[in-house]
Each structure stands twice: as C-alpha cells, then as structure tokens.
Amino acid sequence: MSVPIPDAVVTMIGRQIPEHVLAAEVEATNQAYNITLCRAPQYREAREYALSDLARANKTLAQFDPRLIVRGAA
C-alpha cells in the first residue's frame, strides 16, 4: 500500500537532488513511455532512438543512485 507524501517533503527531497539528475529522471521516464508506443516494426528506428536516450539517462541516474534506474519495456 502506497503512503502519500506531503508536497513539502517532496520539495525538500527535490532540492537535495542535482538538477541534471532530475532532468535525467524525466528523460528516462518519457523515453520508457515512448518505447511502449513503438511496438510496430515500422517504428523500429524511433524505438532504437528512445532506447539510446533511456540508456543515456539511466547512466546519469545510476551514477547518482543505482536505485533510480528506469526500466524500459524491452
């Protein structure tokens, strides 16, 4: 069961994470979603592009904290 986190706590945690790591998290989440949209064979190139962006963002996240890695639908 998920426990809601107050906005003030989320803001406080966010201030402790470097800006480039937050940007990498957003990028990784977006690309993981894009990968799920590119299932058909005609979107293979777009899927490969999304996978490379996801890998790049995950590299940044892993350097900060390996638990932040975003898993894509492979």
Side-chain angles (χ1 to χ4, degrees), residues 7-41:
D7 290 341
V9 174
V10 172
T11 302
M12 183 180 69
I13 292 169
R15 286 187 196 139
Q16 297 175 3
I17 299 175
E19 192 69 33
H20 72 281
V21 175
L22 292 174
E25 182 180 16
V26 169
E27 180 69 18
T29 303
N30 288 340
Q31 293 307 332
Y33 175 72
N34 288 340
I35 291 167
T36 64
L37 298 177
C38 300
R39 295 251 181 227

Side-chain angles (χ1 to χ4, degrees), residues 17-18 20-22 24-25 54-70:
I17 299 175
H20 72 281
V21 175
L22 292 174
E25 182 180 16
L54 176 61
R56 188 177 314 113
N58 273 338
K59 184 176 179 181
T60 301
L61 293 172
Q63 287 174 345
F64 185 75
D65 186 346
R67 295 174 294 175
L68 294 176
I69 292 175
V70 176

Side-chain angles (χ1 to χ4, degrees), residues 31 33-52 73:
Q31 293 307 332
Y33 175 72
N34 288 340
I35 291 167
T36 64
L37 298 177
C38 300
R39 295 251 181 227
Q42 66 264 31
Y43 300 119
R44 186 179 68 222
E45 187 175 331
R47 180 179 169 85
E48 293 301 319
Y49 181 80
L51 283 169
S52 73

